[in-house]
Amino acid sequence: MAMMMNAAASVIKTFASISPMTRALHASPGSKKIVGVFYKANEYASKNPNFVGSVERALGIRDWLESQGHQYIVTDDKEGPDCELEKHIPDLHVLISTPFHPAYVTAERIKKAKNLQLLLTAGVGSDHIDLQAAAAAGLTVAEVTGSNVVSVAEDELMRILILVRNFVAGHNQVVNGDWNVAGISYRSYELEGKTVGTVGAGRIGKLLLQRLKPFNCNLLYHDRLKMDSEMEAQTGAKFEEDLDAMLPKCDVVVINMPLTEKTKGMFNKEKIAKLKKGVLIVNNARGAIMDTEAVAEACSSGQIGGYSGDVWYPQPAPKDHIWRYMPNQAMTPHISGTTIDAQLRYAAGTKDMLDRYFKGEDFPAQNYIVKEGKIASQYQ
Amino acid sequence: MAMMMNAAASVIKTFASISPMTRALHASPGSKKIVGVFYKANEYASKNPNFVGSVERALGIRDWLESQGHQYIVTDDKEGPDCELEKHIPDLHVLISTPFHPAYVTAERIKKAKNLQLLLTAGVGSDHIDLQAAAAAGLTVAEVTGSNVVSVAEDELMRILILVRNFVAGHNQVVNGDWNVAGISYRSYELEGKTVGTVGAGRIGKLLLQRLKPFNCNLLYHDRLKMDSEMEAQTGAKFEEDLDAMLPKCDVVVINMPLTEKTKGMFNKEKIAKLKKGVLIVNNARGAIMDTEAVAEACSSGQIGGYSGDVWYPQPAPKDHIWRYMPNQAMTPHISGTTIDAQLRYAAGTKDMLDRYFKGEDFPAQNYIVKEGKIASQYQ
């Protein structure tokens, strides 16, 4: 415990020495109040011992935290002025949240959180946090970068195939007692030979391109940067500097970029109208990159031939969210990054960062989203 | 037309000279009665000009056949003593059928079909034909080998991911107005690192292994023959000579073997009990390879964690088929091999074989299922 107090004290020093904006510690250095916001497992908690991403299992770090004298509050109740999270905002030091059941960290909440030092995202994707406000308040924001990129990339390939094959229409027939092959196959295709473009070729986009390689597609990618030549050679993907030039070529468009002020609502009516008629769209990035109404209209008109993703705006999607009712959708709740394998990985990554935080050590560089008042480049 | 008559005459000669069992032509050599049995497109016929596998588009070969003086009857009515197909059995020369809407060619029908010479399967999979009876009657049976193997292999990979991710449970929530991430993710996994075994590594199995390669799985295959070393090196798949030794290692089992007397009902209660608890099974081969009741029971008990495929016994699956109602199924009607791309390919392959038949030329060697009284090795 003594060692930990020293470690915590050194955190103060390190942070304070780096930037005048960095908020000083208010709590005693030895004991931190840590709040985790996760989704509830309820009856599913007992069904899998590795279901660590749930409220009930709380990343599997409770014993470890409490044995070191920290307080660990875990809840799924995150909305409105009377929610459990709100009660702890004034005195928590660390908030752990996830993109799957996002605790929206607004400027207002940051203002109230006088003791807050660290915002950890268990997973990847921190746009539920007001990063400008966090940076201005001198907070550190970090993710478990890479923890679920394989999960998401695999899921994207699944969704591409589900749309290309018209799987959902087929499965619905089974459940409804029907058998009408024509009603499925008239719009069922091979992926082979089709043009697939990814908007964004970061870690997930690259993993997707690698997995698409043996399908013998025409692969395109748009990003701020060209991939290294080894990756281009390995995937056979062609760089498209101009997004508007790439999009009309694509039979399948996959969204692989973060939600930022620049990408918010990017796929509006006008952009969608420029896509190939009947285009298939996969979006596991963020719902708000799309104009909700424009997507629903284009699915109804046939301009979009199929839309699949696990991200919505807002989340959880309300019962009357129009994407639940549009034709040719293959949507799910936000699950692609929260496989059991990913949960084990982001739980371990969160524990590692907490441990480094207690010891006053830096996090792995790629994990920082806001550090010393600066927002990471992909969120700018 | 004269040339065609000569060509047809040479067919007689060629066939007759090879085997005493080969049935001689009964019809005039110049005009053949060809019957095609396909599924009906109905309202979907007009939705896609390339929907050639339907009754309405009839492989797109009507004008070509009729311009050469042949009669071409097309129907989807194939069951029972009063069906359309039955009326034409006594005098047809060629029957074109598909696995998607199978015209069952029984020994009884073969006996009645006095003029029958050629049974063509538009697609791959001729187990709806009594091959022993066809061989004994001296008929030729041929498929369009390879025409839809890419379609089927892609579809298998889709189904693996759908089961590994628990996609159907997630999509059902969307449709039902729910949002419960835990109810999906407690049994949602990455494919990476899992053991996938294919039972059979013919053309489809090999294409599947190639597509699985970048997913970093542990790949196993069982077949009568070891693949060539180049293919083993390319896919990284390990040969398992003993099926019963391979099966308990697999997180995912994919069935890729034809239905034969030996494989019929192979996956019975006893075999399924030997699989890893919670195994995921993908079967786009044939429904009758599985014991229907045993699969349903194992899905209910959790011994099978998920089952997906597009093949059933019988087909079309009746409304009360137990697989429609078992838990954790991701079934569809028989569609994997009848994408639009595959339809165009098997229509072209069928036309090519008809053309060769009229001209007295041999078919591509790999297309023969029954030739000169002998059944191809994979169906023995």
Side-chain angles (χ1 to χ4, degrees):
Chain A
M1 195 65 184
M3 200 179 73
M4 213 212 43
M5 285 173 69
N6 290 341
S10 85
V11 172
I12 307 173
K13 211 166 136 189
T14 313
F15 269 66
S17 66
I18 288 167
S19 162
M21 293 196 304
T22 301
R23 192 183 291 192
L25 283 176
H26 291 264
S28 71
S31 176
K32 301 293 180 191
K33 178 166 180 175
I34 296 155
V35 175
V37 179
F38 310 109
Y39 54 82
K40 263 196 184 160
N42 293 320
E43 68 269 34
Y44 303 104
S46 61
K47 295 198 176 186
N48 193 330
N50 292 324
F51 194 2
V52 293
S54 60
V55 162
E56 289 84 348
R57 302 220 180 246
L59 303 184
I61 56 176
R62 179 176 296 286
D63 290 350
W64 175 73
L65 284 173
E66 291 180 350
S67 73
Q68 297 184 62
H70 302 296
Q71 191 185 357
Y72 187 33
I73 310 282
V74 171
T75 183
D76 75 323
D77 184 21
K78 62 183 180 67
E79 305 285 348
D82 301 321
C83 73
E84 181 70 15
L85 171 59
E86 204 67 36
K87 288 185 208 159
H88 303 288
I89 290 285
D91 66 343
L92 59 78
H93 299 95
V94 179
L95 177 63
I96 305 169
S97 59
T98 79
F100 316 110
H101 184 71
Y104 291 101
V105 183
T106 58
E108 195 189 351
R109 277 182 167 167
I110 287 172
K111 206 173 165 188
K112 280 191 208 163
K114 299 293 182 202
N115 288 357
L116 183 58
Q117 296 170 326
L118 179 60
L119 291 161
L120 290 176
T121 300
V124 176
S126 298
D127 50 78
H128 56 286
I129 297 167
D130 185 327
L131 298 177
Q132 299 287 351
L139 304 180
T140 297
V141 182
E143 303 179 344
V144 191
T145 300
S147 60
N148 55 15
V149 289
V150 168
S151 285
V152 177
E154 289 184 358
D155 189 278
E156 289 177 348
L157 188 41
M158 173 189 77
R159 288 173 198 270
I160 292 171
L161 288 166
I162 283 172
L163 294 180
V164 168
R165 287 316 169 89
N166 199 16
F167 169 81
V168 170
H171 183 64
N172 286 345
Q173 286 190 12
V174 168
V175 174
N176 297 333
D178 297 335
W179 184 284
N180 179 356
V181 172
I184 314 158
S185 61
Y186 81 100
R187 55 197 311 275
S188 179
Y189 291 88
E190 271 174 22
L191 182 52
E192 182 156 303
K194 306 303 180 289
T195 297
V196 182
T198 174
V199 185
R203 296 184 67 157
I204 294 169
K206 288 192 185 90
L207 290 168
L208 174 66
L209 291 171
Q210 287 173 323
R211 280 154 184 73
L212 279 167
K213 170 69 174 161
F215 283 87
N216 304 317
C217 298
N218 179 27
L219 298 179
L220 307 177
Y221 73 97
H222 168 77
D223 206 311
R224 291 175 300 179
L225 298 170
K226 212 167 173 311
M227 301 191 299
D228 61 56
S229 55
E230 194 189 343
M231 183 63 82
E232 278 206 344
Q234 194 198 333
T235 63
K238 197 173 151 284
F239 179 56
E240 295 272 349
E241 197 167 1
D242 180 357
L243 178 61
D244 288 324
M246 177 180 89
L247 289 174
K249 299 177 190 168
C250 297
D251 300 301
V252 181
V253 172
V254 187
I255 312 297
N256 272 314
M257 58 190 173
L259 176 64
T260 67
E261 282 308 313
K262 282 180 208 157
T263 65
K264 197 172 176 178
M266 180 195 267
F267 281 79
N268 55 18
K269 197 172 173 170
E270 195 188 3
K271 182 84 91 195
I272 291 169
K274 287 179 186 161
L275 302 176
K276 197 182 267 196
K277 170 90 178 168
V279 65
L280 307 177
I281 299 179
V282 169
N283 176 14
N284 281 0
R286 282 299 176 264
I289 293 170
M290 317 308 279
D291 176 324
T292 303
E293 292 286 335
V295 167
E297 273 170 34
C299 280
S300 294
S301 75
Q303 171 60 15
I304 294 177
Y307 184 92
S308 183
D310 69 338
V311 287
W312 306 66
Y313 186 79
Q315 286 188 189
K319 277 191 198 306
D320 64 351
H321 196 294
I322 195 168
W323 288 2
R324 291 184 188 263
Y325 308 99
M326 65 191 183
N328 299 318
Q329 57 87 357
M331 299 296 296
T332 66
H334 196 167
I335 50 160
S336 70
T338 182
T339 60
I340 295 296
D341 307 82
Q343 290 179 42
L344 290 169
R345 232 179 272 128
Y346 64 66
T350 303
K351 184 180 177 183
D352 174 63
M353 285 194 285
L354 286 169
D355 194 39
R356 289 167 186 257
Y357 163 67
F358 298 144
K359 291 178 178 162
E361 293 171 4
D362 270 358
F363 301 160
Q366 71 276 12
N367 286 13
Y368 285 105
I369 301 305
V370 176
K371 189 185 182 187
E372 298 159 21
K374 280 188 194 144
I375 301 176
S377 62
Q378 74 267 30
Y379 280 100
Q380 285 169 13
Chain B
M1 194 66 186
M3 199 179 74
M4 212 210 48
M5 286 173 69
N6 289 340
S10 85
V11 173
I12 307 173
K13 211 166 140 189
T14 312
F15 270 64
S17 66
I18 288 165
S19 162
M21 292 195 304
T22 301
R23 192 184 287 192
L25 283 177
H26 291 264
S28 71
S31 175
K32 301 293 179 187
K33 178 168 182 175
I34 296 156
V35 175
V37 179
F38 309 110
Y39 54 81
K40 263 196 184 160
N42 295 318
E43 68 268 34
Y44 303 104
S46 61
K47 296 198 175 186
N48 193 331
N50 291 325
F51 195 1
V52 293
S54 60
V55 162
E56 288 84 348
R57 303 222 179 245
L59 304 184
I61 56 175
R62 178 175 297 285
D63 290 351
W64 176 73
L65 284 172
E66 290 179 351
S67 73
Q68 297 185 63
H70 303 295
Q71 190 185 359
Y72 187 34
I73 310 282
V74 171
T75 183
D76 76 323
D77 185 20
K78 62 186 181 65
E79 306 285 346
D82 301 321
C83 72
E84 181 70 16
L85 171 60
E86 204 66 37
K87 288 184 209 162
H88 302 287
I89 291 284
D91 66 343
L92 59 79
H93 299 95
V94 179
L95 177 64
I96 305 169
S97 59
T98 79
F100 316 110
H101 185 72
Y104 292 101
V105 182
T106 58
E108 195 189 350
R109 277 182 167 167
I110 288 172
K111 206 173 162 188
K112 279 190 208 163
K114 299 294 181 199
N115 288 356
L116 183 59
Q117 295 170 326
L118 179 60
L119 291 160
L120 290 177
T121 299
V124 176
S126 299
D127 50 80
H128 56 287
I129 297 166
D130 185 328
L131 298 177
Q132 298 287 351
L139 303 179
T140 297
V141 182
E143 303 179 345
V144 191
T145 300
S147 59
N148 56 14
V149 289
V150 168
S151 285
V152 177
E154 288 183 358
D155 188 279
E156 288 178 348
L157 188 41
M158 173 189 77
R159 288 173 197 271
I160 292 171
L161 288 166
I162 283 172
L163 293 179
V164 168
R165 288 315 169 92
N166 200 16
F167 168 81
V168 170
H171 183 64
N172 286 345
Q173 286 190 13
V174 168
V175 174
N176 297 333
D178 298 334
W179 184 284
N180 179 357
V181 172
I184 312 159
S185 61
Y186 81 100
R187 57 198 309 278
S188 179
Y189 291 88
E190 271 175 20
L191 181 52
E192 182 156 302
K194 308 302 182 290
T195 298
V196 182
T198 174
V199 185
R203 296 184 68 158
I204 295 170
K206 288 192 185 91
L207 290 169
L208 174 65
L209 291 170
Q210 288 172 323
R211 280 154 185 74
L212 279 167
K213 170 70 175 161
F215 283 86
N216 304 316
C217 298
N218 179 27
L219 299 179
L220 307 176
Y221 74 96
H222 168 77
D223 206 311
R224 290 174 301 179
L225 297 170
K226 211 165 174 309
M227 302 191 298
D228 60 58
S229 53
E230 193 190 344
M231 183 63 83
E232 277 207 345
Q234 192 199 335
T235 62
K238 196 172 152 285
F239 179 56
E240 296 270 349
E241 197 167 0
D242 180 358
L243 178 61
D244 288 324
M246 177 180 90
L247 289 175
K249 299 177 191 169
C250 296
D251 300 302
V252 181
V253 172
V254 187
I255 311 297
N256 273 314
M257 58 190 173
L259 176 65
T260 67
E261 281 309 311
K262 283 179 205 157
T263 65
K264 196 172 176 176
M266 181 196 266
F267 281 79
N268 55 19
K269 195 172 174 171
E270 194 187 3
K271 182 83 89 195
I272 290 170
K274 287 180 186 162
L275 302 177
K276 197 183 268 197
K277 170 90 178 167
V279 66
L280 307 177
I281 299 179
V282 170
N283 177 15
N284 281 1
R286 282 297 176 265
I289 293 171
M290 317 309 279
D291 177 324
T292 302
E293 292 286 337
V295 166
E297 274 171 31
C299 281
S300 294
S301 74
Q303 171 61 15
I304 294 177
Y307 185 91
S308 184
D310 70 336
V311 288
W312 306 65
Y313 187 78
Q315 284 185 195
K319 277 191 198 305
D320 64 351
H321 196 293
I322 195 168
W323 287 3
R324 291 184 187 263
Y325 307 100
M326 65 189 183
N328 300 317
Q329 58 86 356
M331 299 295 296
T332 66
H334 196 169
I335 50 161
S336 69
T338 181
T339 59
I340 295 295
D341 308 81
Q343 289 178 43
L344 290 169
R345 231 178 273 127
Y346 63 67
T350 303
K351 184 180 176 184
D352 173 64
M353 286 195 285
L354 287 170
D355 194 38
R356 288 167 187 255
Y357 162 68
F358 298 145
K359 290 178 179 163
E361 293 170 4
D362 270 358
F363 301 161
Q366 70 276 13
N367 285 13
Y368 286 105
I369 301 305
V370 175
K371 188 186 182 186
E372 299 160 21
K374 279 186 195 148
I375 300 175
S377 62
Q378 74 267 32
Y379 281 100
Q380 282 170 13

